[in-house]
Amino acid sequence: MSALAGDLGSSRRILSIWLPAFAIDRWRIVTREAGGELDSGPLVLIADTAHGPRIEAANRLAMDAGARRGMMLADARTLCPEISTAPSDPTGDLAFLEQLAVRAQRWGPWSAMDEPDGLLVDVTAVAHLFGGEEALLEDVCAGFARRDLAIRTAIAPTAGAAWALAHFGWAGAIVDRELEPMLADLPVAALRLGSDVLTVLRRLGLKRIGDITTIGRDALQRRFRKRKVPEANPLLRLDQLLGRIPEPLLPVIEHHAPLTQRRLMEPIRHRTLLDQVVNDLADDMAQLLESKGLGARGLELGLWRVDGEVAVRRLEMSAATRDPAHICRLFAARLDDIEAGFGIELLRLRASWTEPLALAQGDIEAQAESPGTSLATCIDRLTVRLGPKAVSRPVPFASHIPERAQRWKPPLEREPPTQGVLEFHARPLKMLDTPERIAVLYASPDGYPQRFRWRGGVHEVARVEGPERIAPEWWRERGSVRLRDYYRIEDERGRRYWIYRQGIAGDGRGGPPDWFLQGLCA
């Protein structure tokens, strides 16, 4: 996370690139690459909604005919019946914008996406490499023009000022200092506020940025004092625009997946040679991952044949690894159906999914005394042999109820983010699948258990620890569900149990409390 400096004297320079017709321009590029016909008339990109198709973008001819973003397609066809339509692709637009953000790092050390149709580039102290800021903007315009992308640009000390000038100022604006007088005539929409806030400001007669600075902050502060989000507070946006407070920006960092390959001098057709090349690729991948402190959870092996056909085999592991022998053993089961044809001339191994894996010094003597296979390795072998749906593993689940604190999931499924697994609870080593009812002699109404009967045997209680109260999950249970009080007890023979009392005498949710045994302690 990078933050802009709040002091204009820090000579921060931010380049804002706005693509006014971003979705339409990308549609033209995709259509041209697919060999289709480009738009020769009014065109709109639509998205399906509950009330019918809605316009997400329109070309110049459609806008001249009256079509606007957010308008229903039926209304637009009333104004212009000959409008052509194409489906919008917001996911593809976002991916393309991310690619442009990476390419924009030609003009600065880092860039950020300004969704949905803009980019922000830090060009501080780099303009001299292009011959000045004006020459830098010319290079930016030329680079986007080569890809048939229309843009508007501006350079200013803050991201807010650069954005305002690119969207509502003059094309190619370059501002050094004294932002307030130069931005005073821009509309309040240049503050990047929500539509509801803009409506309120217009009703108050505040149509320009200069109007906000002249009426005083106290009046607006009283009206918007509870709005902490910048998009809903014009004073916060004004301070960001003028550089009085910093504005965090998230730069786009290009991620290169670890990749190793072998281009063979002679094509190979025999399985033994193929296994040898895969072994070499696995060794190279292990060294590459070790240098980065990573382990592979997903691997892709591509095999290029002489006739141009490509075969891809994928692996996903239950735990991060960089063991070449384990990787080769798993791929061996996936290469039995490979048709070499006239021979394979290129092999490429890519780590599509990686996780941090620290370096560890193994104990050679301990490994020699405890031969066997690790649990993760066993799961990977079973998954490759039986299929990903035939193997499951227990994973912790954040729940106070003991029988719900564990779930079974496929070993290759990505674990969702969680705030913790309630590690502060100490649980027995062995938990019964279903709590078993026991008969308990205890001091009424809320005394400790003194004797209990379980599976035909009577046990005298020697020591007791507790209670640990667990309330029902109100969002899942009914209001009549009773509380649980858990006790750790030890009988006269030293055996330890985990029991709980369900309910409290006189709680109005049933008769006398019931007792259950749910776990056995070490």
mmCIF file of all heavy atoms in Angstrom, residues 378-412:
data_model
loop_
_atom_site.group_PDB
_atom_site.id
_atom_site.type_symbol
_atom_site.label_atom_id
_atom_site.label_comp_id
_atom_site.label_asym_id
_atom_site.label_seq_id
_atom_site.Cartn_x
_atom_site.Cartn_y
_atom_site.Cartn_z
ATOM 1 N N CYS A 378 0.768 -38.582 1.222
ATOM 2 C CA CYS A 378 -0.222 -39.660 1.081
ATOM 3 C C CYS A 378 -1.510 -39.141 0.448
ATOM 4 O O CYS A 378 -2.084 -39.791 -0.424
ATOM 5 C CB CYS A 378 -0.496 -40.280 2.444
ATOM 6 S SG CYS A 378 -1.724 -41.601 2.430
ATOM 7 N N ILE A 379 -1.965 -37.964 0.873
ATOM 8 C CA ILE A 379 -3.187 -37.391 0.306
ATOM 9 C C ILE A 379 -3.001 -37.100 -1.177
ATOM 10 O O ILE A 379 -3.895 -37.354 -1.999
ATOM 11 C CB ILE A 379 -3.578 -36.127 1.090
ATOM 12 C CG1 ILE A 379 -4.029 -36.500 2.495
ATOM 13 C CG2 ILE A 379 -4.681 -35.363 0.375
ATOM 14 C CD1 ILE A 379 -4.348 -35.310 3.368
ATOM 15 N N ASP A 380 -1.830 -36.570 -1.557
ATOM 16 C CA ASP A 380 -1.580 -36.274 -2.968
ATOM 17 C C ASP A 380 -1.611 -37.549 -3.811
ATOM 18 O O ASP A 380 -2.183 -37.576 -4.909
ATOM 19 C CB ASP A 380 -0.239 -35.567 -3.121
ATOM 20 C CG ASP A 380 -0.255 -34.175 -2.509
ATOM 21 O OD1 ASP A 380 -1.361 -33.623 -2.368
ATOM 22 O OD2 ASP A 380 0.819 -33.651 -2.189
ATOM 23 N N ARG A 381 -1.000 -38.618 -3.308
ATOM 24 C CA ARG A 381 -0.990 -39.873 -4.069
ATOM 25 C C ARG A 381 -2.394 -40.442 -4.215
ATOM 26 O O ARG A 381 -2.791 -40.908 -5.300
ATOM 27 C CB ARG A 381 -0.077 -40.887 -3.380
ATOM 28 C CG ARG A 381 1.394 -40.506 -3.385
ATOM 29 C CD ARG A 381 2.233 -41.630 -2.762
ATOM 30 N NE ARG A 381 3.629 -41.239 -2.646
ATOM 31 C CZ ARG A 381 4.573 -42.026 -2.137
ATOM 32 N NH1 ARG A 381 4.257 -43.240 -1.686
ATOM 33 N NH2 ARG A 381 5.814 -41.615 -2.060
ATOM 34 N N LEU A 382 -3.165 -40.423 -3.130
ATOM 35 C CA LEU A 382 -4.527 -40.943 -3.204
ATOM 36 C C LEU A 382 -5.389 -40.098 -4.138
ATOM 37 O O LEU A 382 -6.233 -40.629 -4.866
ATOM 38 C CB LEU A 382 -5.149 -40.976 -1.807
ATOM 39 C CG LEU A 382 -4.546 -41.977 -0.822
ATOM 40 C CD1 LEU A 382 -5.182 -41.815 0.546
ATOM 41 C CD2 LEU A 382 -4.730 -43.405 -1.319
ATOM 42 N N THR A 383 -5.173 -38.778 -4.132
ATOM 43 C CA THR A 383 -5.957 -37.908 -5.000
ATOM 44 C C THR A 383 -5.653 -38.162 -6.459
ATOM 45 O O THR A 383 -6.555 -38.196 -7.305
ATOM 46 C CB THR A 383 -5.674 -36.437 -4.650
ATOM 47 O OG1 THR A 383 -5.985 -36.222 -3.263
ATOM 48 C CG2 THR A 383 -6.520 -35.506 -5.491
ATOM 49 N N VAL A 384 -4.383 -38.334 -6.788
ATOM 50 C CA VAL A 384 -4.015 -38.611 -8.175
ATOM 51 C C VAL A 384 -4.556 -39.968 -8.625
ATOM 52 O O VAL A 384 -5.022 -40.126 -9.750
ATOM 53 C CB VAL A 384 -2.482 -38.547 -8.333
ATOM 54 C CG1 VAL A 384 -2.059 -39.041 -9.705
ATOM 55 C CG2 VAL A 384 -1.992 -37.119 -8.121
ATOM 56 N N ARG A 385 -4.548 -40.953 -7.733
ATOM 57 C CA ARG A 385 -4.969 -42.298 -8.120
ATOM 58 C C ARG A 385 -6.480 -42.459 -8.124
ATOM 59 O O ARG A 385 -7.045 -43.079 -9.040
ATOM 60 C CB ARG A 385 -4.345 -43.323 -7.169
ATOM 61 C CG ARG A 385 -4.726 -44.764 -7.462
ATOM 62 C CD ARG A 385 -3.928 -45.722 -6.606
ATOM 63 N NE ARG A 385 -2.495 -45.596 -6.848
ATOM 64 C CZ ARG A 385 -1.569 -46.324 -6.232
ATOM 65 N NH1 ARG A 385 -1.935 -47.221 -5.325
ATOM 66 N NH2 ARG A 385 -0.290 -46.162 -6.507
ATOM 67 N N LEU A 386 -7.175 -41.882 -7.137
ATOM 68 C CA LEU A 386 -8.610 -42.110 -6.995
ATOM 69 C C LEU A 386 -9.456 -40.957 -7.519
ATOM 70 O O LEU A 386 -10.659 -41.124 -7.701
ATOM 71 C CB LEU A 386 -8.954 -42.342 -5.513
ATOM 72 C CG LEU A 386 -8.203 -43.491 -4.831
ATOM 73 C CD1 LEU A 386 -8.592 -43.566 -3.361
ATOM 74 C CD2 LEU A 386 -8.475 -44.811 -5.532
ATOM 75 N N GLY A 387 -8.858 -39.784 -7.714
ATOM 76 C CA GLY A 387 -9.624 -38.634 -8.150
ATOM 77 C C GLY A 387 -9.805 -37.626 -7.031
ATOM 78 O O GLY A 387 -9.843 -37.984 -5.846
ATOM 79 N N PRO A 388 -9.948 -36.341 -7.378
ATOM 80 C CA PRO A 388 -10.042 -35.305 -6.329
ATOM 81 C C PRO A 388 -11.311 -35.385 -5.498
ATOM 82 O O PRO A 388 -11.338 -34.881 -4.378
ATOM 83 C CB PRO A 388 -9.984 -33.994 -7.137
ATOM 84 C CG PRO A 388 -10.446 -34.369 -8.505
ATOM 85 C CD PRO A 388 -9.998 -35.782 -8.731
ATOM 86 N N LYS A 389 -12.379 -36.034 -6.006
ATOM 87 C CA LYS A 389 -13.629 -36.103 -5.263
ATOM 88 C C LYS A 389 -13.719 -37.326 -4.352
ATOM 89 O O LYS A 389 -14.675 -37.446 -3.585
ATOM 90 C CB LYS A 389 -14.810 -36.109 -6.230
ATOM 91 C CG LYS A 389 -14.928 -34.839 -7.060
ATOM 92 C CD LYS A 389 -16.152 -34.887 -7.957
ATOM 93 C CE LYS A 389 -16.279 -33.601 -8.787
ATOM 94 N NZ LYS A 389 -17.465 -33.634 -9.670
ATOM 95 N N ALA A 390 -12.749 -38.221 -4.443
ATOM 96 C CA ALA A 390 -12.804 -39.445 -3.649
ATOM 97 C C ALA A 390 -12.080 -39.314 -2.318
ATOM 98 O O ALA A 390 -12.166 -40.217 -1.490
ATOM 99 C CB ALA A 390 -12.204 -40.606 -4.447
ATOM 100 N N VAL A 391 -11.367 -38.213 -2.109
ATOM 101 C CA VAL A 391 -10.571 -38.040 -0.896
ATOM 102 C C VAL A 391 -11.049 -36.772 -0.193
ATOM 103 O O VAL A 391 -11.271 -35.743 -0.837
ATOM 104 C CB VAL A 391 -9.064 -37.934 -1.219
ATOM 105 C CG1 VAL A 391 -8.248 -37.782 0.056
ATOM 106 C CG2 VAL A 391 -8.608 -39.148 -2.013
ATOM 107 N N SER A 392 -11.230 -36.860 1.106
ATOM 108 C CA SER A 392 -11.607 -35.708 1.919
ATOM 109 C C SER A 392 -10.704 -35.644 3.136
ATOM 110 O O SER A 392 -10.115 -36.652 3.547
ATOM 111 C CB SER A 392 -13.074 -35.780 2.359
ATOM 112 O OG SER A 392 -13.941 -35.806 1.243
ATOM 113 N N ARG A 393 -10.616 -34.479 3.728
ATOM 114 C CA ARG A 393 -9.795 -34.298 4.919
ATOM 115 C C ARG A 393 -10.533 -33.384 5.893
ATOM 116 O O ARG A 393 -11.304 -32.518 5.486
ATOM 117 C CB ARG A 393 -8.449 -33.682 4.563
ATOM 118 C CG ARG A 393 -8.545 -32.286 3.980
ATOM 119 C CD ARG A 393 -7.198 -31.619 3.884
ATOM 120 N NE ARG A 393 -7.294 -30.301 3.286
ATOM 121 C CZ ARG A 393 -6.296 -29.423 3.245
ATOM 122 N NH1 ARG A 393 -5.129 -29.743 3.759
ATOM 123 N NH2 ARG A 393 -6.463 -28.246 2.688
ATOM 124 N N PRO A 394 -10.325 -33.569 7.185
ATOM 125 C CA PRO A 394 -10.980 -32.682 8.163
ATOM 126 C C PRO A 394 -10.251 -31.351 8.246
ATOM 127 O O PRO A 394 -9.015 -31.299 8.257
ATOM 128 C CB PRO A 394 -10.865 -33.469 9.470
ATOM 129 C CG PRO A 394 -9.639 -34.313 9.288
ATOM 130 C CD PRO A 394 -9.551 -34.649 7.823
ATOM 131 N N VAL A 395 -11.017 -30.289 8.282
ATOM 132 C CA VAL A 395 -10.453 -28.950 8.415
ATOM 133 C C VAL A 395 -11.173 -28.245 9.560
ATOM 134 O O VAL A 395 -12.369 -28.464 9.780
ATOM 135 C CB VAL A 395 -10.597 -28.139 7.112
ATOM 136 C CG1 VAL A 395 -9.792 -28.760 6.001
ATOM 137 C CG2 VAL A 395 -12.056 -28.020 6.698
ATOM 138 N N PRO A 396 -10.480 -27.418 10.317
ATOM 139 C CA PRO A 396 -11.135 -26.703 11.429
ATOM 140 C C PRO A 396 -12.134 -25.680 10.910
ATOM 141 O O PRO A 396 -11.959 -25.093 9.842
ATOM 142 C CB PRO A 396 -9.960 -26.035 12.160
ATOM 143 C CG PRO A 396 -8.874 -25.941 11.141
ATOM 144 C CD PRO A 396 -9.037 -27.108 10.233
ATOM 145 N N PHE A 397 -13.175 -25.479 11.687
ATOM 146 C CA PHE A 397 -14.221 -24.520 11.357
ATOM 147 C C PHE A 397 -14.508 -23.678 12.589
ATOM 148 O O PHE A 397 -14.598 -24.207 13.709
ATOM 149 C CB PHE A 397 -15.492 -25.243 10.907
ATOM 150 C CG PHE A 397 -16.622 -24.321 10.550
ATOM 151 C CD1 PHE A 397 -16.589 -23.586 9.377
ATOM 152 C CD2 PHE A 397 -17.707 -24.186 11.389
ATOM 153 C CE1 PHE A 397 -17.624 -22.738 9.053
ATOM 154 C CE2 PHE A 397 -18.753 -23.336 11.074
ATOM 155 C CZ PHE A 397 -18.708 -22.609 9.898
ATOM 156 N N ALA A 398 -14.618 -22.370 12.392
ATOM 157 C CA ALA A 398 -14.791 -21.450 13.523
ATOM 158 C C ALA A 398 -16.191 -21.566 14.104
ATOM 159 O O ALA A 398 -17.133 -20.934 13.624
ATOM 160 C CB ALA A 398 -14.517 -20.014 13.070
ATOM 161 N N SER A 399 -16.333 -22.416 15.107
ATOM 162 C CA SER A 399 -17.609 -22.583 15.797
ATOM 163 C C SER A 399 -17.335 -22.950 17.249
ATOM 164 O O SER A 399 -16.430 -23.746 17.539
ATOM 165 C CB SER A 399 -18.457 -23.662 15.129
ATOM 166 O OG SER A 399 -19.657 -23.880 15.848
ATOM 167 N N HIS A 400 -18.102 -22.387 18.171
ATOM 168 C CA HIS A 400 -17.954 -22.725 19.586
ATOM 169 C C HIS A 400 -18.538 -24.101 19.902
ATOM 170 O O HIS A 400 -18.116 -24.734 20.876
ATOM 171 C CB HIS A 400 -18.647 -21.671 20.461
ATOM 172 C CG HIS A 400 -17.969 -20.339 20.429
ATOM 173 N ND1 HIS A 400 -16.896 -20.036 21.234
ATOM 174 C CD2 HIS A 400 -18.200 -19.227 19.687
ATOM 175 C CE1 HIS A 400 -16.495 -18.798 21.001
ATOM 176 N NE2 HIS A 400 -17.273 -18.284 20.070
ATOM 177 N N ILE A 401 -19.498 -24.565 19.118
ATOM 178 C CA ILE A 401 -20.105 -25.869 19.354
ATOM 179 C C ILE A 401 -19.110 -26.952 18.941
ATOM 180 O O ILE A 401 -18.670 -26.990 17.788
ATOM 181 C CB ILE A 401 -21.417 -26.010 18.564
ATOM 182 C CG1 ILE A 401 -22.331 -24.820 18.837
ATOM 183 C CG2 ILE A 401 -22.099 -27.310 18.899
ATOM 184 C CD1 ILE A 401 -22.714 -24.650 20.281
ATOM 185 N N PRO A 402 -18.701 -27.850 19.833
ATOM 186 C CA PRO A 402 -17.622 -28.796 19.517
ATOM 187 C C PRO A 402 -17.909 -29.666 18.303
ATOM 188 O O PRO A 402 -17.012 -29.897 17.479
ATOM 189 C CB PRO A 402 -17.502 -29.632 20.805
ATOM 190 C CG PRO A 402 -18.020 -28.744 21.881
ATOM 191 C CD PRO A 402 -19.112 -27.941 21.246
ATOM 192 N N GLU A 403 -19.143 -30.190 18.164
ATOM 193 C CA GLU A 403 -19.408 -31.078 17.036
ATOM 194 C C GLU A 403 -19.472 -30.346 15.702
ATOM 195 O O GLU A 403 -19.517 -30.983 14.647
ATOM 196 C CB GLU A 403 -20.706 -31.855 17.265
ATOM 197 C CG GLU A 403 -21.928 -30.978 17.486
ATOM 198 C CD GLU A 403 -22.204 -30.752 18.960
ATOM 199 O OE1 GLU A 403 -21.249 -30.826 19.756
ATOM 200 O OE2 GLU A 403 -23.371 -30.525 19.311
ATOM 201 N N ARG A 404 -19.474 -29.021 15.732
ATOM 202 C CA ARG A 404 -19.477 -28.246 14.496
ATOM 203 C C ARG A 404 -18.128 -27.591 14.218
ATOM 204 O O ARG A 404 -17.996 -26.845 13.257
ATOM 205 C CB ARG A 404 -20.545 -27.159 14.571
ATOM 206 C CG ARG A 404 -21.964 -27.696 14.625
ATOM 207 C CD ARG A 404 -22.948 -26.571 14.780
ATOM 208 N NE ARG A 404 -24.312 -27.069 14.921
ATOM 209 C CZ ARG A 404 -25.340 -26.335 15.343
ATOM 210 N NH1 ARG A 404 -25.143 -25.064 15.648
ATOM 211 N NH2 ARG A 404 -26.540 -26.857 15.447
ATOM 212 N N ALA A 405 -17.142 -27.834 15.044
ATOM 213 C CA ALA A 405 -15.838 -27.189 14.897
ATOM 214 C C ALA A 405 -14.949 -27.881 13.882
ATOM 215 O O ALA A 405 -13.766 -27.566 13.788
ATOM 216 C CB ALA A 405 -15.122 -27.141 16.245
ATOM 217 N N GLN A 406 -15.505 -28.803 13.111
ATOM 218 C CA GLN A 406 -14.729 -29.524 12.109
ATOM 219 C C GLN A 406 -15.619 -29.845 10.924
ATOM 220 O O GLN A 406 -16.791 -30.177 11.086
ATOM 221 C CB GLN A 406 -14.149 -30.805 12.701
ATOM 222 C CG GLN A 406 -13.452 -31.715 11.686
ATOM 223 C CD GLN A 406 -12.937 -32.976 12.331
ATOM 224 O OE1 GLN A 406 -12.054 -32.936 13.159
ATOM 225 N NE2 GLN A 406 -13.512 -34.105 11.970
ATOM 226 N N ARG A 407 -15.061 -29.704 9.726
ATOM 227 C CA ARG A 407 -15.779 -30.049 8.505
ATOM 228 C C ARG A 407 -14.873 -30.849 7.586
ATOM 229 O O ARG A 407 -13.648 -30.772 7.681
ATOM 230 C CB ARG A 407 -16.265 -28.782 7.777
ATOM 231 C CG ARG A 407 -17.369 -28.035 8.521
ATOM 232 C CD ARG A 407 -17.895 -26.885 7.706
ATOM 233 N NE ARG A 407 -19.022 -26.224 8.365
ATOM 234 C CZ ARG A 407 -19.693 -25.197 7.863
ATOM 235 N NH1 ARG A 407 -19.337 -24.705 6.679
ATOM 236 N NH2 ARG A 407 -20.708 -24.666 8.514
ATOM 237 N N TRP A 408 -15.502 -31.608 6.708
ATOM 238 C CA TRP A 408 -14.759 -32.419 5.743
ATOM 239 C C TRP A 408 -14.806 -31.732 4.387
ATOM 240 O O TRP A 408 -15.871 -31.389 3.882
ATOM 241 C CB TRP A 408 -15.348 -33.821 5.646
ATOM 242 C CG TRP A 408 -15.104 -34.630 6.891
ATOM 243 C CD1 TRP A 408 -15.873 -34.668 8.005
ATOM 244 C CD2 TRP A 408 -13.986 -35.495 7.134
ATOM 245 N NE1 TRP A 408 -15.320 -35.492 8.945
ATOM 246 C CE2 TRP A 408 -14.159 -36.034 8.444
ATOM 247 C CE3 TRP A 408 -12.880 -35.874 6.400
ATOM 248 C CZ2 TRP A 408 -13.254 -36.916 8.998
ATOM 249 C CZ3 TRP A 408 -11.974 -36.753 6.965
ATOM 250 C CH2 TRP A 408 -12.163 -37.269 8.245
ATOM 251 N N LYS A 409 -13.632 -31.528 3.798
ATOM 252 C CA LYS A 409 -13.540 -30.866 2.502
ATOM 253 C C LYS A 409 -12.534 -31.600 1.617
ATOM 254 O O LYS A 409 -11.656 -32.306 2.118
ATOM 255 C CB LYS A 409 -13.097 -29.405 2.682
ATOM 256 C CG LYS A 409 -14.162 -28.509 3.293
ATOM 257 C CD LYS A 409 -13.699 -27.063 3.273
ATOM 258 C CE LYS A 409 -14.787 -26.139 3.807
ATOM 259 N NZ LYS A 409 -14.367 -24.719 3.758
ATOM 260 N N PRO A 410 -12.650 -31.424 0.292
ATOM 261 C CA PRO A 410 -11.640 -32.001 -0.596
ATOM 262 C C PRO A 410 -10.272 -31.418 -0.285
ATOM 263 O O PRO A 410 -10.155 -30.227 0.057
ATOM 264 C CB PRO A 410 -12.131 -31.595 -1.998
ATOM 265 C CG PRO A 410 -13.590 -31.358 -1.833
ATOM 266 C CD PRO A 410 -13.755 -30.815 -0.451
ATOM 267 N N PRO A 411 -9.215 -32.196 -0.385
ATOM 268 C CA PRO A 411 -7.883 -31.712 0.011
ATOM 269 C C PRO A 411 -7.346 -30.606 -0.885
ATOM 270 O O PRO A 411 -6.476 -29.857 -0.473
ATOM 271 C CB PRO A 411 -7.014 -32.970 -0.068
ATOM 272 C CG PRO A 411 -7.731 -33.874 -1.005
ATOM 273 C CD PRO A 411 -9.183 -33.617 -0.820
ATOM 274 N N LEU A 412 -7.859 -30.500 -2.126
ATOM 275 C CA LEU A 412 -7.335 -29.507 -3.054
ATOM 276 C C LEU A 412 -8.134 -28.223 -3.051
ATOM 277 O O LEU A 412 -7.831 -27.302 -3.799
ATOM 278 C CB LEU A 412 -7.311 -30.083 -4.479
ATOM 279 C CG LEU A 412 -6.561 -31.408 -4.646
ATOM 280 C CD1 LEU A 412 -6.570 -31.831 -6.093
ATOM 281 C CD2 LEU A 412 -5.135 -31.287 -4.128
#
